[in-house]
Amino acid sequence: MKRVGFFRSIQMKFVLIYVLLILFAMQIISVYFVNSLEEKFTNNFKESLAQRVELLEYNVREEILKERDEESKTLEQDIRTILEDFSAGDVIEVRVIDVNSRIIGTSDSNKRDLVGQRQPDISVKRALSAGATEDKMYVDAGKRIWERTSPISYNSEVKGAIYLVADIETVYGQLDDINEILFSAAILALAITAVLGITLARTITRPITDMRRQAVALGKGNFSRKVKVYGQDEIGELAVTFNNLTKRLQEAQATTEGERRKLSSVLSYMTDGVIATDRRGRVILINEPASKMLNVSRETVISQPIVSLLNLEEDYSFDDLLNEQDSVILDYSTHDRPYVLRANFSVIQKETGFVNGLITVLHDITEQEKIEMERREFVTNVSHELRTPLTTMRSYLEALAEGAWQDPDIAPNFLEVTQTETERMIRLVNDLLQLSKFDSQEYNLIKKDTDFIEFFNKIIDRFEMTKSQEVTFQRKLPRYPIYVTIDQDKLTQVIDNIISNALKYSPEGGLVSFKVEEHGDTIQVSISDQGMGIPKKSLERIFERFYRVDRARSRKMGGTGLGLAIAKELITAHGGHIWATSVEGKGTTIFFTLPADLSEEDDWE
């Protein structure tokens, strides 16, 4: 957590605001107080001098009204005497002016030469003419001077005037002293206020700082800390509320974590692939099945566009996927391996309709598609296999109906063909019924212990006695018995089918070989021919239903295309395995294995 500097902290702001408020209040009080004090002092000063001037005015008026003889002192002498008695530290000069604006006396001994001269001031003229008292203040040589002119009246008649000049700077000097005292007091008060402000701010900022630390701890996932409650005021209530919020966040986080783990577990153990995107279509989550389905790593696909991940850039945009209601088939099949996925899309939306992202669920439908394809192919093959003999029978029956039955040379041949095709359809239907039982597990094997060597020799002997071709049988069988637990009828059907195919495709003078080998607790049986062989691309499909390497030749030979499919089902039911090897132009070998009880050993023939 980055530490906040003191000068940027809320504590500093509190102290600064508090000090500024006190300073502002003190400034207002000081201005009001100084102005009031200045007014009070100047008024007192003026009133004091006015009272003294009134006394002076009385004395001067008496002297002016006094009758004088030759022996009496002159008016100027009496006025001088009075002005000499009129002394004050603040009075600079007092002049007495008669009704003719002539100075008849001055208190300033340095200006006695002005006596007898006229006083030119306007204020004197107004006092003499209108009987008005005037005063004014001005600054002279850096000092404040107060000037007052008042009339000397008797019975409403102006007899003269008194002109007073006083130094009022002493009053402002006192105000300056008071201002210095106020300034010192203000500095002291601000210092005390700052200390008290810091103390007060700490009481407010301390719980806020604790809550800040708690908020940082919450951001890191630490819900164990609690904010200390310092009081029952609003900040204390805020601290209590913050602690309650912490508790609820802890519970919510625990719930969310539980849900996340459940979701993670569900996504991990789902067989379907799940991909989630943000509102811009970029992958933010992909589970393990989806990674395996798409053959990608989870780390590399994060933030990759979903349309790019699914290879849909040419056909879809992200907006198209948001509006897609149906499933989208993703065909990743190759020449050697079919692989098909089905993608379903679900939009993540808020109640306001704002799109938060997209959920994509992937299903591997390769087997379903394969089964569906096999089903369609099966229906097509069955239809084709039934239609061919039915068409042949229809043609011959129509010919017989049109009169060919009367022809002794043609009729028997037509009837024979019709009978052959009917028998072929019966075999086909029987094979289909047998395969249907295999598919539905409705067959029962009647197994018993059998000497397979003796059992195999009897089947070979039967074919050797009935074969119509010039084909040689070669046996490579053990001389001693090998016991297996088999259903003899079902296994006879398998071996008959394999030997029949070997004889069908063997040329005149060819060789059919029969071989039995022991491998651990199984025996491996092989039947080889020297026929045309099977192409490599068809070798793995010869055990599929209705599959023929050469359809025309197989149908001509009377095959249904189901013999090897039935053989595979029966061998598998016995716990064995069947496969084939072939070289084109040289022949084919069919192998199958069976579990055996190999308790005896002997020599080969």
Side-chain angles (χ1 to χ4, degrees):
M1 179 179 68
K2 186 177 180 180
R3 184 177 180 85
V4 178
F6 175 76
F7 292 101
R8 297 178 61 187
S9 65
I10 191 172
Q11 182 176 344
M12 177 60 185
K13 294 175 183 177
F14 269 120
V15 173
L16 185 60
I17 291 172
Y18 187 56
V19 170
L20 289 177
L21 287 175
I22 295 298
L23 180 61
F24 182 70
M26 291 182 66
Q27 286 294 327
I28 293 176
I29 294 172
S30 297
V31 170
Y32 176 76
F33 177 73
V34 169
N35 288 338
S36 299
L37 198 60
E38 179 182 357
E39 183 179 359
K40 184 69 174 175
F41 278 10
T42 55
N43 288 339
N44 289 341
F45 180 81
K46 293 176 181 179
E47 289 175 2
S48 174
L49 289 181
Q51 290 175 1
R52 295 180 64 186
V53 167
E54 288 178 1
L55 180 59
L56 177 62
E57 179 185 344
Y58 174 78
N59 292 331
V60 171
R61 185 174 57 246
E62 291 296 323
E63 291 298 330
I64 292 174
L65 294 176
K66 180 179 177 183
E67 294 182 1
R68 303 181 183 277
D69 53 20
E70 293 180 356
E71 297 181 357
S72 300
K73 291 181 180 181
T74 62
L75 177 61
E76 287 78 0
Q77 292 176 339
D78 289 335
I79 294 299
R80 181 188 298 177
T81 303
I82 293 172
L83 291 178
E84 288 177 353
D85 294 335
F86 185 86
S87 62
D90 298 328
V91 177
I92 298 174
E93 180 184 7
V94 179
R95 295 178 185 177
V96 179
I97 303 161
D98 64 11
V99 71
N100 295 318
S101 299
R102 189 174 59 86
I103 301 173
I104 59 176
T106 177
S107 62
D108 189 353
S109 59
N110 296 323
K111 296 181 179 180
R112 296 286 171 84
D113 55 345
L114 295 177
V115 175
Q117 297 182 11
R118 295 182 63 87
Q119 179 73 25
D121 292 347
I122 298 298
S123 59
V124 173
K125 294 179 179 180
R126 289 175 181 172
L128 294 175
S129 60
T133 301
E134 292 186 10
D135 65 83
K136 66 178 180 178
M137 186 182 300
Y138 59 91
V139 178
D140 183 20
K143 291 185 178 181
R144 294 177 182 89
I145 304 299
W146 182 60
E147 181 182 286
R148 184 178 189 273
T149 304
S150 60
I152 302 172
S153 301
Y154 179 76
N155 293 332
S156 302
E157 181 182 356
V158 177
K159 300 294 185 178
I162 297 177
Y163 175 76
L164 173 70
V165 178
D167 183 5
I168 200 173
E169 190 65 33
T170 55
V171 173
Y172 287 95
Q174 294 175 355
L175 290 174
D176 290 340
D177 293 339
I178 293 173
N179 284 333
E180 290 180 3
I181 295 172
L182 288 176
F183 180 76
S184 301
I187 295 298
L188 180 61
L190 287 177
I192 296 173
T193 300
V195 174
L196 293 176
I198 292 173
T199 305
L200 178 62
R202 284 182 178 176
T203 61
I204 298 174
T205 58
R206 185 182 303 168
I208 294 177
T209 302
D210 287 349
M211 282 185 274
R212 176 175 174 270
R213 293 195 186 100
Q214 175 64 7
V216 173
L218 286 179
K220 295 180 180 179
N222 181 10
F223 296 95
S224 60
R225 295 184 78 256
K226 298 294 181 184
V227 177
K228 184 178 179 180
V229 180
Y230 291 93
Q232 302 299 321
D233 54 5
E234 291 84 350
I235 296 179
E237 292 179 359
L238 178 61
V240 172
T241 304
F242 200 92
N243 288 335
N244 293 334
L245 175 63
T246 301
K247 182 178 180 182
R248 293 185 181 181
L249 282 175
Q250 185 177 13
E251 294 172 354
Q253 197 268 347
T255 303
T256 302
E257 181 65 19
E259 294 297 327
R260 188 193 66 78
R261 290 179 180 176
K262 291 178 183 178
L263 178 60
S264 177
S265 178
V266 169
L267 291 176
S268 298
Y269 290 98
M270 281 180 66
T271 56
D272 294 332
V274 178
I275 305 172
T277 72
D278 59 15
R279 61 187 181 88
R280 296 182 179 178
R282 299 188 179 276
V283 176
I284 58 175
L285 181 146
I286 180 170
N287 68 346
E288 191 65 27
S291 300
K292 292 180 179 178
M293 288 180 183
L294 299 175
N295 193 27
V296 295
S297 65
R298 300 170 68 178
E299 293 76 15
T300 58
V301 301
I302 297 300
S303 297
Q304 183 178 346
I306 183 71
V307 291
S308 173
L309 178 62
L310 300 180
N311 294 328
L312 296 174
E313 301 101 322
E314 297 181 359
D315 301 321
Y316 294 89
S317 66
F318 180 65
D319 291 334
D320 295 333
L321 296 183
L322 292 176
N323 298 320
E324 185 63 48
Q325 300 294 327
D326 300 326
S327 300
V328 175
I329 302 301
L330 309 174
D331 191 350
Y332 300 121
S333 301
T334 61
H335 179 71
D336 300 327
R337 174 176 172 265
Y339 188 50
V340 183
L341 301 178
R342 183 176 69 239
N344 294 314
F345 303 99
S346 177
V347 180
I348 307 173
Q349 278 183 310
K350 291 184 178 180
E351 295 179 356
T352 58
F354 181 79
V355 175
N356 275 348
L358 184 71
I359 294 292
T360 304
V361 180
L362 301 178
H363 308 272
D364 188 350
I365 58 171
T366 304
E367 289 301 322
Q368 298 177 23
E369 288 294 312
K370 185 177 180 181
I371 292 171
E372 182 64 20
M373 183 176 65
E374 290 177 351
R375 184 190 66 80
R376 290 194 297 266
E377 186 177 352
F378 177 76
V379 171
T380 301
N381 288 331
V382 170
S383 301
H384 186 72
E385 293 295 335
L386 290 175
R387 183 177 61 201
T388 301
L390 286 173
T391 301
T392 303
M393 291 170 61
R394 178 182 177 182
S395 300
Y396 281 93
L397 289 174
E398 286 177 352
L400 290 172
E402 291 175 357
W405 63 274
Q406 296 177 353
D407 189 333
D409 295 328
I410 297 177
N413 187 30
F414 280 15
L415 290 174
E416 182 181 356
V417 172
T418 302
Q419 183 180 1
T420 301
E421 294 297 332
T422 302
E423 290 174 353
R424 181 174 164 220
M425 283 195 297
I426 292 173
R427 289 197 305 273
L428 177 62
V429 171
N430 288 336
D431 288 346
L432 288 172
L433 290 173
Q434 189 171 10
L435 285 172
S436 177
K437 289 181 180 180
F438 290 148
D439 291 338
S440 59
Q441 305 292 325
E442 292 181 357
Y443 62 91
N444 291 318
L445 297 179
I446 303 174
K447 294 182 178 182
K448 62 180 180 179
D449 291 338
T450 302
D451 180 358
F452 185 78
I453 303 302
E454 181 183 356
F455 170 75
F456 197 18
N457 276 318
K458 287 181 180 180
I459 296 175
I460 298 172
D461 290 342
R462 174 163 52 82
F463 273 93
E464 194 167 20
M465 292 174 58
T466 59
K467 63 184 174 67
S468 58
Q469 301 166 263
E470 292 297 328
V471 176
T472 304
F473 283 6
Q474 182 182 37
R475 310 186 193 195
K476 296 181 181 180
L477 308 179
R479 296 177 56 189
Y480 53 86
I482 299 177
Y483 288 93
V484 293
T485 303
I486 58 173
D487 184 323
Q488 293 185 4
D489 291 339
K490 297 293 190 295
L491 207 59
T492 298
Q493 183 180 355
V494 172
I495 297 174
D496 283 355
N497 184 274
I498 297 174
I499 296 177
S500 296
N501 287 338
L503 291 174
K504 285 179 187 177
Y505 296 103
S506 292
E508 291 293 331
L511 177 68
V512 176
S513 301
F514 305 94
K515 188 176 181 181
V516 176
E517 296 179 333
E518 300 174 347
H519 295 283
D521 57 355
T522 63
I523 60 170
Q524 177 178 295
V525 182
S526 62
I527 300 173
S528 304
D529 63 53
Q530 294 180 340
M532 67 182 72
I534 301 172
K536 186 176 181 181
K537 64 179 182 179
S538 302
L539 196 59
E540 294 181 359
R541 301 191 62 191
I542 62 173
F543 295 100
E544 295 180 6
R545 301 174 187 186
F546 293 109
Y547 185 79
R548 293 186 176 97
V549 178
D550 187 345
R551 291 183 177 273
R553 183 176 179 184
S554 299
R555 192 175 292 111
K556 184 177 179 181
M557 292 180 177
T560 63
L562 298 173
L564 289 178
I566 294 173
K568 180 180 179 181
E569 295 289 344
L570 290 173
I571 292 298
T572 302
H574 278 83
H577 179 58
I578 187 169
W579 70 97
T581 61
S582 180
V583 178
E584 286 191 75
K586 293 186 179 181
T588 302
T589 302
I590 303 295
F591 297 89
F592 66 86
T593 60
L594 292 171
D597 182 12
L598 302 177
S599 57
E600 297 182 2
E601 293 186 358
D602 209 337
D603 296 332
W604 294 78
E605 290 184 329

